[in-house]
Amino acid sequence: MLLRRSRSLALAATLAVLTALPVTLSATSASAAPAGTTLTASDTPPPTGTLTDLLAGLLAALLGGQQSAPSPQPAAPGTAAQAPTPMSINVAFEDRVVRLVNKRRARAGCRTLRPNARLRTSARTHSVGMAQYRTMVHFLPGEAGLGERITYAGYRGWRRLAENIASGFASPRDVMQAWMASPSHRKNILDCRLRQIGVGVIAQGDHLWWTQDFGRR
């Protein structure tokens, strides 16, 4: 997903990308396809009272040492609520992805991306949401869009954003190989106009959920 700041074209471009979120890729039979999309949007104010708020709270709990959280989805009538989902943040994998991204960019003649704590918070929050709902999508039901999510995390005044996601890959090397094999994901990684990066990797048992958020102010 790519966002470029443009007030007058925000709505049309957002609708265009929502009708063309084209990213399908098979890596191994056990790994879900990574996803990445492109669109244009404006720098919008942070949302309140949404799923984004809840996911930010779940991330804060993980950062505080809590390793499980109840599902945000209410149980259907007559059924028991879902058991808490054990999760953890894989900081080593996050840092490794950043290094691999910058190696690829160096080969392409692009400048090194600087790690950004706010983009990392946004990426981690989205990975928490995908883990909670056990689905790999850019927009969870009730969640803010990419521009709102990243603004909510404190990355303000952005001019350009991009996002790649993936699920099920076992290592930074595996997920990077899959992203680089996909033209749309590789385009985000090798976009020389981007300047900063944040990566969120959430482990849910043996399953890993991956988000890369890129930005430029």
Side-chain angles (χ1 to χ4, degrees), residues 28-113:
T28 67
S29 58
S31 300
T37 59
T38 59
L39 67 102
T40 307
S42 62
D43 190 359
T44 51
T48 57
T50 66
L51 178 63
T52 304
D53 288 324
L54 175 59
L55 296 179
L58 298 184
L59 175 60
L62 290 178
L63 291 170
Q66 183 175 327
Q67 293 193 350
S68 65
S71 169
Q73 295 174 305
T79 63
Q82 286 185 301
T85 304
M87 287 188 288
S88 62
I89 301 169
N90 195 320
V91 179
F93 277 12
E94 293 174 343
D95 293 341
R96 178 62 176 160
V97 168
V98 173
R99 291 194 294 270
L100 291 173
V101 165
N102 280 325
K103 284 184 178 180
R104 294 285 190 167
R105 287 173 65 86
R107 294 176 192 171
C110 296
R111 68 171 63 186
T112 297
L113 292 174

Side-chain angles (χ1 to χ4, degrees), residues 30-31 85-88 90 93 167-171 201-210:
S31 300
T85 304
M87 287 188 288
S88 62
N90 195 320
F93 277 12
S167 169
F169 292 88
S171 72
V201 181
I202 297 297
Q204 188 181 47
D206 294 331
H207 194 97
L208 296 174
W209 301 88
W210 309 78

